[in-house]
Amino acid sequence: HILLETKSCCVFMHAALSSLHPECEYIFQLEKEERRCLQYISEQGNRSTGCHPFWDAVSCWPHAVTGETIHRACPAVFSLFKNNTGSVSRNCTTGGWSRPFPPYHIACNVDDDIPETEESYFATVKVIYTIGYSISLVVLAVAVLILLLFRKLRCARNLIHIQLFVTFILKSVAVFIKDATLFSSDDTNHCTLSTFACKVSVVFCHYCVMANFFWLLVEALYLNSLLLSSFYHSRRCLWGFSLLGWGVPVLFIVLWIGSRVYFEDTECWDINEDSPYWWIIKGPIVVSIAVNFMLFINIIRILIQKLNPRLIQFNNSSQYRRLTKSTLLLIPLFGTHYMFFNFLPDYFNVNLRLCIELCMGSFQGLLVAILYCFLNQEVQKEVHMQWFRWQERSYGVVSPAAKGSQMDTPF
């Protein structure tokens, strides 16, 4: 989840240093400079005159005689954020060291704190996606119960929908678990946090996201097969879809875990910027998105042909129109904007990515449940039938609408 989630980093220097998030690299380089300064101070020993050497949390100041002015170039770590060639000075007075002049944030042209507007923006984004995932979680759970409870709705199509709903539910749960594990306290040092629980939460979140993309791919494959009228409804095909949706992500997640354990065991494994091993997860997702987009184009092409009044039979037109509505509303949602963002650097236009991937993405499960369950005519008809039957058993009264529905139903 881009900026809200990528707050830990590693302590390995040199080769691993390039994979650090700038904030953590800043902290670790400062700690390294502090150790050097403290060693320098211990080597200097105690001197009775002048100003003693000290570390001011940014720069190391040497011993100076009274009245001397010491100049220090802006620390190299500031170049992680902005290029600068400024300097800071201190006077050694009879009362000790003076304050730095000009202050670091002015001399080195760096912000000394996160702007309030930016901090408020991140807090607002978290509130929005928490609400979105919460609503989606409840609605998706109701949709799964409806599709499981009514026997007449247990067909191959709805079994695939159910598993897609489950991936959205798991993704929502994974986001809540990850937030609770990594961001439960503002005092948590994300640059040194490394626990088994936080790594498990990150792995679980990656698996849920990956499984969600692959089940969206299964939906696209199934829609194509329906429109081509070449899909043989057998248990073997459903097992194949299940293997693709649940099994393939397991394979890549296991490979990614092995690579992190042996080659890049960096804290909570939630920093993947510039890491080559991140493509073990990101690569298959990008491929699935690309395939989904091509399937979307193919579905549109088929639907245009099928919906041509000269090429379709009258009794199939309503079915294809329903598929058109679902396809046009759902597939662009999980294809178009992902096609754009997945080929850009992870930190490209962070605010826009936060808005689309977190805020809009958190309501994706809600939209899927509405399209494939609550707006489905078969589901609505079966729910109405069960409601009327319950009224008949409870009160012995059946409304005219129920009788009409029963007469129109061949079962």
Side-chain angles (χ1 to χ4, degrees), residues 290-366:
V291 173
N292 255 358
F293 186 76
M294 290 186 290
L295 291 174
F296 167 69
I297 299 300
N298 189 50
I299 288 174
I300 298 301
R301 181 187 63 82
I302 295 173
L303 287 174
I304 291 175
Q305 295 177 353
K306 294 284 188 178
L307 293 177
N308 189 334
R310 295 175 297 178
L311 298 178
I312 64 173
Q313 299 177 1
F314 177 75
N315 58 348
N316 288 331
S317 60
S318 61
Q319 175 186 358
Y320 290 126
R321 287 192 174 90
R322 288 203 305 271
L323 286 173
T324 303
K325 292 178 182 178
S326 299
T327 304
L328 292 178
L329 290 175
L330 180 62
I331 294 184
L333 182 65
F334 64 78
T336 306
H337 71 282
Y338 287 129
M339 276 290 293
F340 174 72
F341 277 115
N342 272 274
F343 292 98
L344 294 174
D346 288 338
Y347 277 82
F348 174 82
N349 206 333
V350 172
N351 289 349
L352 180 60
R353 294 186 67 140
L354 281 173
C355 181
I356 293 178
E357 294 188 7
L358 286 178
C359 296
M360 293 178 59
S362 65
F363 290 95
Q364 185 179 4
L366 173 65

Coordinates of all heavy atoms in Angstrom, one line a residue, residues 290-366:
A290 N -2.4 -7.8 -17.6 CA -2.3 -7.7 -19.1 C -3.2 -8.7 -19.8 O -3.9 -8.3 -20.8 CB -0.9 -7.9 -19.5
V291 N -3.3 -9.9 -19.3 CA -4.2 -10.9 -19.9 C -5.6 -10.5 -19.7 O -6.5 -10.6 -20.6 CB -3.9 -12.3 -19.3 CG1 -4.9 -13.3 -19.8 CG2 -2.5 -12.8 -19.6
N292 N -5.9 -10.0 -18.5 CA -7.3 -9.5 -18.3 C -7.7 -8.4 -19.2 O -8.9 -8.4 -19.7 CB -7.4 -9.0 -16.8 CG -8.1 -10.0 -15.9 OD1 -8.6 -11.0 -16.4 ND2 -8.2 -9.6 -14.7
F293 N -6.8 -7.5 -19.5 CA -7.1 -6.4 -20.4 C -7.4 -7.0 -21.8 O -8.3 -6.5 -22.5 CB -6.0 -5.4 -20.4 CG -6.3 -4.2 -21.2 CD1 -7.1 -3.2 -20.7 CD2 -5.7 -4.0 -22.5 CE1 -7.4 -2.1 -21.4 CE2 -6.0 -2.9 -23.2 CZ -6.8 -1.9 -22.7
M294 N -6.6 -7.9 -22.2 CA -6.8 -8.5 -23.6 C -8.1 -9.3 -23.6 O -8.8 -9.2 -24.6 CB -5.6 -9.4 -23.9 CG -4.3 -8.7 -24.2 SD -3.0 -9.7 -24.8 CE -2.6 -10.7 -23.3
L295 N -8.4 -10.0 -22.5 CA -9.7 -10.7 -22.5 C -10.9 -9.7 -22.5 O -11.9 -10.0 -23.1 CB -9.8 -11.6 -21.2 CG -8.8 -12.8 -21.2 CD1 -8.9 -13.5 -19.9 CD2 -9.2 -13.7 -22.3
F296 N -10.7 -8.6 -21.8 CA -11.7 -7.5 -21.8 C -12.0 -7.0 -23.3 O -13.1 -6.9 -23.7 CB -11.3 -6.4 -20.9 CG -12.1 -5.1 -21.1 CD1 -13.4 -5.1 -20.7 CD2 -11.6 -4.0 -21.7 CE1 -14.2 -4.0 -20.8 CE2 -12.3 -2.9 -21.8 CZ -13.7 -2.9 -21.4
I297 N -10.9 -6.8 -24.0 CA -11.1 -6.4 -25.4 C -11.8 -7.4 -26.2 O -12.7 -7.2 -27.0 CB -9.7 -6.0 -26.0 CG1 -9.0 -4.9 -25.3 CG2 -9.9 -5.7 -27.5 CD1 -9.8 -3.6 -25.3
N298 N -11.4 -8.7 -26.0 CA -12.0 -9.8 -26.7 C -13.5 -9.9 -26.3 O -14.3 -10.2 -27.2 CB -11.3 -11.1 -26.4 CG -11.8 -12.2 -27.3 OD1 -11.8 -12.1 -28.5 ND2 -12.1 -13.4 -26.6
I299 N -13.8 -9.7 -25.0 CA -15.2 -9.8 -24.6 C -16.1 -8.7 -25.3 O -17.2 -9.0 -25.8 CB -15.3 -9.7 -23.1 CG1 -14.8 -11.0 -22.4 CG2 -16.8 -9.4 -22.6 CD1 -14.8 -10.9 -20.9
I300 N -15.5 -7.5 -25.3 CA -16.2 -6.4 -26.0 C -16.5 -6.8 -27.5 O -17.6 -6.6 -28.0 CB -15.4 -5.1 -25.9 CG1 -15.3 -4.7 -24.4 CG2 -16.1 -4.0 -26.7 CD1 -16.6 -4.5 -23.7
R301 N -15.4 -7.3 -28.1 CA -15.6 -7.7 -29.5 C -16.7 -8.8 -29.7 O -17.5 -8.6 -30.6 CB -14.2 -8.2 -30.1 CG -14.2 -8.6 -31.5 CD -12.9 -9.3 -31.9 NE -12.7 -10.6 -31.2 CZ -13.3 -11.7 -31.5 NH1 -14.1 -11.8 -32.6 NH2 -13.1 -12.8 -30.8
I302 N -16.7 -9.8 -28.9 CA -17.7 -10.8 -29.0 C -19.1 -10.3 -28.7 O -20.0 -10.6 -29.4 CB -17.3 -12.0 -28.0 CG1 -16.0 -12.6 -28.4 CG2 -18.5 -13.0 -28.0 CD1 -15.5 -13.7 -27.4
L303 N -19.2 -9.4 -27.7 CA -20.5 -8.9 -27.3 C -21.1 -8.0 -28.4 O -22.3 -8.0 -28.7 CB -20.4 -8.1 -26.0 CG -20.2 -9.0 -24.7 CD1 -20.0 -8.1 -23.5 CD2 -21.5 -9.9 -24.6
I304 N -20.2 -7.3 -29.1 CA -20.7 -6.4 -30.2 C -21.3 -7.3 -31.3 O -22.3 -7.0 -31.9 CB -19.5 -5.6 -30.7 CG1 -19.1 -4.5 -29.7 CG2 -19.9 -4.9 -32.0 CD1 -17.9 -3.7 -30.1
Q305 N -20.6 -8.4 -31.5 CA -21.1 -9.3 -32.5 C -22.4 -10.0 -32.1 O -23.4 -10.2 -32.8 CB -20.1 -10.4 -32.9 CG -18.9 -9.8 -33.6 CD -17.8 -10.9 -33.8 OE1 -17.9 -12.0 -33.4 NE2 -16.8 -10.5 -34.5
K306 N -22.4 -10.5 -30.8 CA -23.5 -11.2 -30.3 C -24.8 -10.4 -30.2 O -25.9 -10.8 -30.3 CB -23.2 -11.8 -28.9 CG -22.1 -12.9 -28.9 CD -22.6 -14.2 -29.4 CE -21.6 -15.3 -29.2 NZ -22.1 -16.6 -29.7
L307 N -24.6 -9.1 -29.8 CA -25.7 -8.2 -29.6 C -26.2 -7.6 -30.9 O -27.2 -6.8 -30.9 CB -25.3 -7.1 -28.6 CG -25.1 -7.6 -27.2 CD1 -24.6 -6.4 -26.3 CD2 -26.3 -8.2 -26.6
N308 N -25.7 -7.9 -32.0 CA -26.2 -7.5 -33.3 C -27.5 -8.2 -33.6 O -27.5 -9.4 -33.6 CB -25.2 -7.8 -34.4 CG -25.6 -7.2 -35.7 OD1 -26.8 -6.9 -36.0 ND2 -24.6 -6.9 -36.6
P309 N -28.6 -7.5 -33.7 CA -29.9 -8.2 -33.8 C -30.0 -9.2 -35.0 O -30.8 -10.1 -35.0 CB -30.9 -7.0 -34.0 CG -30.2 -5.8 -33.4 CD -28.7 -6.1 -33.7
R310 N -29.2 -8.9 -36.0 CA -29.2 -9.8 -37.2 C -28.5 -11.1 -36.9 O -28.6 -12.1 -37.7 CB -28.6 -9.1 -38.4 CG -29.4 -7.9 -38.9 CD -28.7 -7.2 -40.0 NE -27.4 -6.7 -39.5 CZ -26.6 -6.0 -40.3 NH1 -26.8 -5.8 -41.6 NH2 -25.4 -5.6 -39.8
L311 N -27.6 -11.2 -35.8 CA -26.8 -12.4 -35.6 C -27.2 -13.2 -34.4 O -26.7 -14.2 -34.1 CB -25.3 -11.9 -35.4 CG -24.7 -11.2 -36.6 CD1 -23.2 -10.8 -36.3 CD2 -24.7 -12.1 -37.8
I312 N -28.1 -12.7 -33.6 CA -28.5 -13.4 -32.4 C -29.9 -13.9 -32.4 O -30.7 -13.4 -33.2 CB -28.3 -12.5 -31.1 CG1 -29.3 -11.3 -31.2 CG2 -26.9 -12.1 -31.0 CD1 -29.3 -10.5 -29.9
Q313 N -30.2 -14.9 -31.6 CA -31.6 -15.4 -31.5 C -32.3 -14.6 -30.4 O -31.7 -14.1 -29.5 CB -31.6 -16.8 -31.1 CG -30.9 -17.7 -32.2 CD -30.8 -19.2 -31.7 OE1 -31.3 -19.5 -30.7 NE2 -30.2 -20.0 -32.6
F314 N -33.6 -14.5 -30.6 CA -34.4 -13.6 -29.7 C -34.2 -14.1 -28.2 O -34.1 -13.3 -27.3 CB -35.8 -13.6 -30.1 CG -36.7 -12.8 -29.2 CD1 -36.7 -11.5 -29.2 CD2 -37.5 -13.5 -28.2 CE1 -37.5 -10.7 -28.4 CE2 -38.4 -12.8 -27.4 CZ -38.3 -11.4 -27.5
N315 N -34.2 -15.4 -28.0 CA -34.2 -15.9 -26.6 C -32.9 -15.7 -25.9 O -32.8 -16.0 -24.7 CB -34.7 -17.4 -26.6 CG -33.7 -18.2 -27.4 OD1 -32.9 -17.7 -28.2 ND2 -33.8 -19.5 -27.3
N316 N -31.8 -15.4 -26.6 CA -30.5 -15.2 -26.0 C -30.1 -13.7 -25.8 O -29.1 -13.4 -25.2 CB -29.4 -15.9 -26.8 CG -29.5 -17.4 -26.8 OD1 -29.9 -17.9 -25.8 ND2 -29.1 -18.0 -27.8
S317 N -30.9 -12.8 -26.3 CA -30.5 -11.4 -26.3 C -30.4 -10.9 -24.9 O -29.5 -10.1 -24.5 CB -31.5 -10.6 -27.1 OG -32.8 -10.7 -26.6
S318 N -31.4 -11.3 -24.0 CA -31.4 -10.7 -22.6 C -30.2 -11.3 -21.9 O -29.6 -10.5 -21.1 CB -32.7 -11.1 -21.9 OG -32.8 -12.6 -21.8
Q319 N -29.8 -12.5 -22.1 CA -28.6 -13.1 -21.5 C -27.3 -12.3 -21.8 O -26.5 -11.9 -21.0 CB -28.4 -14.5 -21.9 CG -27.2 -15.2 -21.3 CD -26.9 -16.6 -21.8 OE1 -27.8 -17.1 -22.5 NE2 -25.8 -17.2 -21.4
Y320 N -27.2 -12.0 -23.1 CA -26.0 -11.3 -23.6 C -26.0 -9.8 -23.1 O -24.9 -9.3 -22.8 CB -25.9 -11.3 -25.1 CG -25.5 -12.7 -25.6 CD1 -26.3 -13.3 -26.6 CD2 -24.4 -13.4 -25.1 CE1 -26.0 -14.6 -27.1 CE2 -24.1 -14.7 -25.6 CZ -24.9 -15.2 -26.6 OH -24.6 -16.5 -27.0
R321 N -27.1 -9.2 -23.0 CA -27.2 -7.9 -22.4 C -26.8 -7.9 -21.0 O -26.2 -6.9 -20.5 CB -28.6 -7.3 -22.7 CG -28.9 -6.9 -24.1 CD -30.1 -6.1 -24.3 NE -30.3 -5.6 -25.6 CZ -30.9 -6.3 -26.6 NH1 -31.5 -7.5 -26.3 NH2 -31.0 -5.8 -27.8
R322 N -27.2 -8.9 -20.2 CA -26.8 -8.9 -18.8 C -25.3 -9.1 -18.7 O -24.7 -8.5 -17.8 CB -27.5 -10.1 -18.1 CG -29.0 -9.9 -17.8 CD -29.5 -10.7 -16.7 NE -29.2 -12.2 -16.9 CZ -30.0 -13.0 -17.6 NH1 -31.2 -12.5 -18.1 NH2 -29.7 -14.3 -17.7
L323 N -24.8 -10.0 -19.5 CA -23.3 -10.1 -19.5 C -22.6 -8.8 -19.9 O -21.5 -8.5 -19.4 CB -22.9 -11.3 -20.5 CG -23.2 -12.7 -20.0 CD1 -23.0 -13.7 -21.1 CD2 -22.4 -13.0 -18.8
T324 N -23.2 -8.1 -20.8 CA -22.6 -6.8 -21.3 C -22.5 -5.9 -20.1 O -21.5 -5.2 -19.9 CB -23.4 -6.2 -22.4 OG1 -23.5 -7.1 -23.5 CG2 -22.8 -4.9 -22.9
K325 N -23.6 -5.7 -19.3 CA -23.6 -4.8 -18.2 C -22.5 -5.2 -17.2 O -21.8 -4.4 -16.7 CB -25.0 -4.8 -17.6 CG -26.1 -4.2 -18.4 CD -27.4 -4.3 -17.7 CE -28.6 -3.7 -18.6 NZ -29.9 -3.9 -17.9
S326 N -22.5 -6.5 -16.8 CA -21.5 -6.9 -15.8 C -20.1 -6.8 -16.3 O -19.2 -6.3 -15.6 CB -21.8 -8.4 -15.5 OG -23.1 -8.6 -15.0
T327 N -19.9 -7.1 -17.6 CA -18.5 -7.0 -18.1 C -18.0 -5.6 -18.2 O -16.9 -5.3 -17.8 CB -18.5 -7.7 -19.5 OG1 -18.9 -9.1 -19.4 CG2 -17.0 -7.7 -20.0
L328 N -18.8 -4.7 -18.8 CA -18.4 -3.4 -19.0 C -18.2 -2.6 -17.7 O -17.4 -1.8 -17.6 CB -19.5 -2.6 -19.8 CG -19.6 -3.0 -21.3 CD1 -20.7 -2.3 -22.0 CD2 -18.3 -2.9 -22.0
L329 N -18.9 -3.0 -16.6 CA -18.8 -2.3 -15.3 C -17.7 -2.9 -14.5 O -17.0 -2.2 -13.7 CB -20.1 -2.4 -14.6 CG -21.2 -1.5 -15.1 CD1 -22.5 -1.8 -14.3 CD2 -20.9 0.0 -15.1
L330 N -17.4 -4.2 -14.6 CA -16.5 -4.9 -13.8 C -15.1 -4.9 -14.3 O -14.1 -4.5 -13.7 CB -16.9 -6.3 -13.5 CG -16.0 -7.1 -12.5 CD1 -15.9 -6.4 -11.2 CD2 -16.4 -8.5 -12.4
I331 N -14.9 -5.4 -15.6 CA -13.6 -5.6 -16.1 C -12.7 -4.3 -16.2 O -11.5 -4.3 -15.9 CB -13.6 -6.3 -17.4 CG1 -14.2 -7.7 -17.2 CG2 -12.3 -6.4 -18.1 CD1 -14.2 -8.6 -18.4
P332 N -13.3 -3.2 -16.6 CA -12.5 -1.9 -16.6 C -12.0 -1.6 -15.2 O -10.9 -1.0 -15.0 CB -13.4 -0.9 -17.1 CG -14.4 -1.6 -17.9 CD -14.6 -2.9 -17.2
L333 N -12.8 -2.0 -14.2 CA -12.5 -1.6 -12.8 C -11.2 -2.3 -12.4 O -10.3 -1.7 -11.7 CB -13.6 -2.1 -11.9 CG -13.4 -1.8 -10.4 CD1 -13.4 -0.2 -10.2 CD2 -14.5 -2.4 -9.6
F334 N -11.0 -3.6 -12.8 CA -9.8 -4.3 -12.3 C -8.7 -4.4 -13.5 O -7.8 -5.1 -13.3 CB -10.1 -5.6 -11.8 CG -10.7 -6.6 -12.7 CD1 -9.9 -7.3 -13.6 CD2 -12.0 -6.9 -12.7 CE1 -10.4 -8.2 -14.5 CE2 -12.6 -7.8 -13.6 CZ -11.8 -8.5 -14.5
G335 N -9.0 -3.7 -14.6 CA -8.0 -3.8 -15.7 C -7.4 -2.5 -16.1 O -6.1 -2.4 -16.2
T336 N -8.2 -1.5 -16.3 CA -7.6 -0.3 -17.0 C -6.6 0.4 -16.1 O -5.5 0.7 -16.5 CB -8.8 0.6 -17.3 OG1 -9.8 -0.1 -18.1 CG2 -8.3 1.8 -18.1
H337 N -7.0 0.8 -14.9 CA -6.1 1.6 -14.1 C -4.9 0.8 -13.6 O -3.8 1.4 -13.5 CB -6.8 2.3 -12.9 CG -7.2 1.4 -11.9 ND1 -8.3 0.5 -12.0 CD2 -6.7 1.1 -10.6 CE1 -8.5 -0.2 -10.9 NE2 -7.5 0.2 -10.0
Y338 N -5.1 -0.5 -13.4 CA -3.9 -1.3 -13.1 C -2.9 -1.4 -14.2 O -1.7 -1.5 -14.0 CB -4.4 -2.7 -12.6 CG -5.1 -2.7 -11.3 CD1 -6.3 -3.3 -11.1 CD2 -4.4 -2.2 -10.1 CE1 -6.9 -3.4 -9.9 CE2 -5.0 -2.2 -8.9 CZ -6.3 -2.8 -8.8 OH -6.9 -2.8 -7.5
M339 N -3.4 -1.5 -15.4 CA -2.5 -1.5 -16.6 C -1.6 -0.3 -16.6 O -0.5 -0.3 -17.0 CB -3.4 -1.5 -17.9 CG -3.8 -2.9 -18.3 SD -2.5 -4.0 -18.9 CE -2.0 -3.1 -20.4
F340 N -2.2 0.9 -16.2 CA -1.4 2.1 -16.2 C -0.4 2.1 -15.1 O 0.8 2.4 -15.3 CB -2.3 3.3 -16.1 CG -1.6 4.6 -15.9 CD1 -1.0 5.2 -17.0 CD2 -1.6 5.3 -14.7 CE1 -0.3 6.4 -16.9 CE2 -1.0 6.5 -14.6 CZ -0.3 7.0 -15.7
F341 N -0.8 1.8 -13.8 CA 0.1 2.0 -12.7 C 1.2 0.9 -12.5 O 2.2 1.2 -12.0 CB -0.7 2.1 -11.4 CG -1.3 3.4 -11.1 CD1 -2.6 3.7 -11.1 CD2 -0.4 4.5 -10.9 CE1 -3.2 4.9 -10.9 CE2 -0.9 5.8 -10.7 CZ -2.3 6.0 -10.7
N342 N 0.9 -0.3 -13.0 CA 1.8 -1.4 -12.7 C 3.1 -1.3 -13.6 O 4.0 -2.1 -13.3 CB 1.2 -2.7 -12.9 CG 0.5 -3.2 -11.7 OD1 1.1 -3.9 -10.8 ND2 -0.8 -2.9 -11.5
F343 N 3.1 -0.4 -14.6 CA 4.3 -0.3 -15.4 C 5.1 1.0 -15.0 O 6.0 1.4 -15.7 CB 4.0 -0.3 -16.9 CG 3.5 -1.6 -17.3 CD1 2.1 -1.9 -17.4 CD2 4.4 -2.6 -17.6 CE1 1.7 -3.1 -17.9 CE2 3.9 -3.9 -18.0 CZ 2.6 -4.1 -18.2
L344 N 4.7 1.6 -13.9 CA 5.4 2.8 -13.4 C 6.1 2.5 -12.1 O 5.8 1.6 -11.4 CB 4.3 4.0 -13.2 CG 3.6 4.5 -14.4 CD1 2.5 5.4 -14.1 CD2 4.6 5.1 -15.4
P345 N 7.1 3.3 -11.7 CA 7.8 3.1 -10.5 C 6.8 3.2 -9.3 O 5.8 3.9 -9.3 CB 8.8 4.3 -10.4 CG 9.0 4.7 -11.8 CD 7.7 4.4 -12.5
D346 N 7.1 2.5 -8.2 CA 6.2 2.4 -7.1 C 5.9 3.7 -6.4 O 4.9 3.9 -5.8 CB 6.8 1.4 -6.0 CG 6.7 0.0 -6.5 OD1 5.9 -0.3 -7.4 OD2 7.5 -0.9 -6.0
Y347 N 6.9 4.7 -6.5 CA 6.7 5.9 -5.9 C 6.3 7.1 -6.9 O 6.5 8.2 -6.6 CB 7.9 6.3 -5.1 CG 8.0 5.7 -3.7 CD1 8.4 4.4 -3.6 CD2 7.5 6.3 -2.6 CE1 8.4 3.7 -2.4 CE2 7.5 5.7 -1.4 CZ 8.0 4.4 -1.3 OH 8.0 3.8 -0.1
F348 N 5.8 6.7 -8.0 CA 5.3 7.7 -9.0 C 3.9 8.2 -8.6 O 3.0 7.5 -8.4 CB 5.2 7.0 -10.4 CG 4.6 7.9 -11.4 CD1 5.3 8.9 -12.1 CD2 3.2 7.9 -11.7 CE1 4.8 9.7 -13.0 CE2 2.6 8.7 -12.7 CZ 3.4 9.6 -13.3
N349 N 3.9 9.5 -8.4 CA 2.6 10.2 -8.0 C 1.9 9.5 -6.9 O 0.8 8.9 -7.0 CB 1.7 10.3 -9.2 CG 0.8 11.5 -9.1 OD1 0.4 11.9 -8.0 ND2 0.3 12.0 -10.2
V350 N 2.6 9.5 -5.7 CA 2.1 8.8 -4.5 C 0.7 9.1 -4.2 O -0.2 8.3 -3.9 CB 3.0 9.0 -3.3 CG1 2.5 8.3 -2.1 CG2 4.4 8.4 -3.6
N351 N 0.3 10.4 -4.1 CA -1.0 10.8 -3.7 C -2.1 10.3 -4.6 O -3.1 9.8 -4.2 CB -1.1 12.4 -3.7 CG -0.3 12.9 -2.5 OD1 0.2 12.2 -1.6 ND2 -0.1 14.2 -2.5
L352 N -1.8 10.3 -5.9 CA -2.8 9.8 -6.9 C -3.0 8.2 -6.7 O -4.1 7.7 -6.7 CB -2.4 10.1 -8.3 CG -3.3 9.6 -9.4 CD1 -4.7 10.2 -9.3 CD2 -2.8 9.9 -10.8
R353 N -1.8 7.5 -6.5 CA -1.9 6.1 -6.3 C -2.6 5.7 -5.1 O -3.4 4.8 -5.0 CB -0.5 5.5 -6.3 CG 0.2 5.6 -7.7 CD 1.5 4.9 -7.6 NE 1.4 3.5 -7.5 CZ 2.1 2.6 -8.2 NH1 3.0 3.0 -9.0 NH2 1.9 1.3 -8.0
L354 N -2.4 6.5 -4.0 CA -3.1 6.3 -2.7 C -4.6 6.4 -2.9 O -5.4 5.6 -2.5 CB -2.6 7.3 -1.7 CG -1.3 7.0 -1.0 CD1 -0.9 8.1 -0.1 CD2 -1.4 5.7 -0.2
C355 N -5.0 7.4 -3.7 CA -6.4 7.7 -3.9 C -7.1 6.5 -4.7 O -8.1 6.0 -4.3 CB -6.6 9.0 -4.6 SG -8.4 9.4 -4.9
I356 N -6.4 6.1 -5.7 CA -7.0 5.1 -6.6 C -6.9 3.7 -6.0 O -7.9 2.9 -5.9 CB -6.3 5.1 -8.0 CG1 -6.7 6.4 -8.7 CG2 -6.8 3.9 -8.9 CD1 -6.0 6.6 -10.1
E357 N -5.7 3.3 -5.6 CA -5.4 1.9 -5.1 C -6.0 1.7 -3.7 O -6.5 0.6 -3.5 CB -3.9 1.6 -5.1 CG -3.3 1.6 -6.5 CD -1.9 1.2 -6.4 OE1 -1.4 0.7 -5.4 OE2 -1.2 1.2 -7.5
L358 N -6.0 2.6 -2.8 CA -6.6 2.4 -1.5 C -8.0 2.9 -1.4 O -8.9 2.1 -1.0 CB -5.7 3.2 -0.5 CG -4.3 2.5 -0.2 CD1 -3.6 3.4 0.8 CD2 -4.5 1.1 0.3
C359 N -8.3 4.1 -1.7 CA -9.7 4.6 -1.5 C -10.7 3.9 -2.5 O -11.6 3.3 -2.0 CB -9.7 6.1 -1.7 SG -8.7 7.0 -0.5
M360 N -10.4 4.0 -3.8 CA -11.3 3.4 -4.7 C -11.2 1.9 -4.7 O -12.3 1.2 -4.8 CB -11.0 3.9 -6.2 CG -11.2 5.4 -6.4 SD -10.8 6.0 -8.0 CE -11.8 4.9 -9.0
G361 N -10.0 1.4 -4.5 CA -9.9 -0.1 -4.4 C -10.6 -0.7 -3.3 O -11.0 -1.9 -3.3
S362 N -10.8 0.0 -2.2 CA -11.4 -0.5 -1.0 C -12.9 -0.8 -1.2 O -13.5 -1.6 -0.6 CB -11.2 0.4 0.2 OG -11.9 1.6 0.0
F363 N -13.5 -0.1 -2.2 CA -14.9 -0.2 -2.5 C -15.1 -1.2 -3.7 O -16.3 -1.4 -4.1 CB -15.6 1.1 -2.8 CG -15.7 2.0 -1.7 CD1 -14.7 3.0 -1.4 CD2 -16.8 1.9 -0.8 CE1 -14.8 3.8 -0.3 CE2 -16.9 2.8 0.3 CZ -15.9 3.7 0.5
Q364 N -14.0 -1.8 -4.2 CA -14.2 -2.7 -5.3 C -15.0 -3.9 -5.0 O -15.8 -4.4 -5.8 CB -12.8 -3.1 -5.8 CG -12.8 -3.9 -7.1 CD -11.4 -4.3 -7.6 OE1 -10.4 -3.9 -6.9 NE2 -11.3 -4.9 -8.7
G365 N -14.7 -4.5 -3.8 CA -15.5 -5.6 -3.4 C -17.0 -5.4 -3.3 O -17.8 -6.2 -3.6
L366 N -17.3 -4.2 -2.8 CA -18.7 -3.8 -2.7 C -19.3 -3.8 -4.1 O -20.5 -4.3 -4.3 CB -18.8 -2.4 -2.0 CG -20.2 -1.7 -2.0 CD1 -21.1 -2.6 -1.1 CD2 -20.1 -0.3 -1.5

